[in-house]
Amino acid sequence: MERNYDLDHSIEYNSIDDSIKEDTQMSRMRSLGNTGLFCPQIIYGTSYLGNLYRELSEVEKLSLMQEWFNVADGKVMIDSAGKYGAGLALEVIGQGLEKLCIDPSQVTISNKLGWYRVPLSSPEPTFEPGAWANLKYDAVQKISYNGILECWQQGCELLGGKYKPEIVSVHDPDEYLMAATDDKDRQKRMDEILGAYKALFKLKEKGEVKAVGIGSKDWLIIKELYEKMKFDWVMFANKFTVYHHPKAIVDFIVQLEKDGVGIINSAIFNAGFLTGGKYFDYRVVDSENPADRHLFAWREKFFAVCKKHNVSPGDACLKFALSAPQITAIAINPSKPHRMAHNKTVLNQEFPEAFWANLKSEKIIEVEYPYL
């Protein structure tokens, strides 16, 4: 009897410990606006799982996915799209989570919709040629009421059925509008985007998804569409970084937060340029080109201040990206598992005030920026 008594108490205490652990984990999660969803500070992008630029092995892909959960304080959130490898990333996610024995309750999946897998009928895919390695399928764009529902259904099938996206959006509506040939064509494309969002909000009404949002590299497109409908969340790409954070965007972020909209910050390294890469906002830049020289001059000053204070440029970018209290989370796409634990450590550190003051004095960040 005594042994059973002890066993009963150990179960009770374990239950209490689990409850405390769960409460601690939840305290580290942030509310995604008024959606009722909570997400970690870091959301993981998944384009590498779709063979972006190079093909990772199955072992490498599984290692990346395993590390999401190894470093997590609670529920993991990932961001994917039918465009990533013409649906390959979604397939890898569904199969990988199954192999890792991940319960669906432990992961939140965001799927950006608008690209639909089709058979490959040419030597390489017709969308973004040169960007994807060793794909077996092509993808076509489908942005309309019915088209987006087809993308939604296919996305669920590619994930395998056990795991389902709770968060959805139309993928790169800014690029879709920029492809317009004239004002009439732009209006047609805008109507198609609005139709696609009507379908997504219908899915939300039916309880198929929990949140509908928008991601865009052009923040003015987010603003334009937000005047037509109220999103549950928005994702800025390239537009709220240590390099680029004008007052107009700060003011818009403040307004979104007041409206109960969740805010995610992505592409926080301006496509890698801020940490030494050759791409700036997805184009190759040249120090010999007069139009690009100001970028290199800025980066040289940025690197000098980082070196002076013994701060990694990448860590500075990461810390700045979450400096505005209105921002719920950042979305990053590490291709090496060890970076995930490092990034988490960086976000839990306090940087010297002198470092941020020096960045302001050198006009590397806006002097009037209020949160540092």
Side-chain angles (χ1 to χ4, degrees), residues 47-61 64 88 92 131-136 335:
S47 56
Y48 282 114
L49 302 182
N51 295 1
L52 179 66
Y53 301 130
R54 63 191 179 98
E55 182 178 14
L56 300 178
S57 69
E58 181 181 352
V59 171
E60 288 175 308
K61 290 177 180 180
L64 282 171
L88 176 61
V92 170
W132 305 93
N134 196 26
L135 297 188
K136 305 294 190 295
S335 61

Side-chain angles (χ1 to χ4, degrees), residues 67-109:
E67 193 65 10
W68 296 341
F69 298 91
N70 289 346
V71 303
D73 287 321
K75 199 169 185 178
V76 168
M77 182 169 168
I78 57 175
D79 176 58
S80 197
K83 189 178 187 181
Y84 295 166
L88 176 61
L90 292 170
E91 276 186 324
V92 170
I93 289 166
Q95 294 167 7
L97 293 175
E98 185 79 44
K99 288 176 182 176
L100 295 172
C101 300
I102 302 300
D103 189 278
S105 66
Q106 290 303 110
V107 61
T108 300
I109 300 173

Side-chain angles (χ1 to χ4, degrees), residues 354-372:
F355 172 64
W356 301 115
N358 200 174
L359 288 177
K360 285 189 174 185
S361 67
E362 291 292 331
K363 297 184 179 178
I364 294 166
I365 62 176
E366 299 287 339
V367 175
E368 301 301 321
Y369 182 68
Y371 303 119
L372 290 171

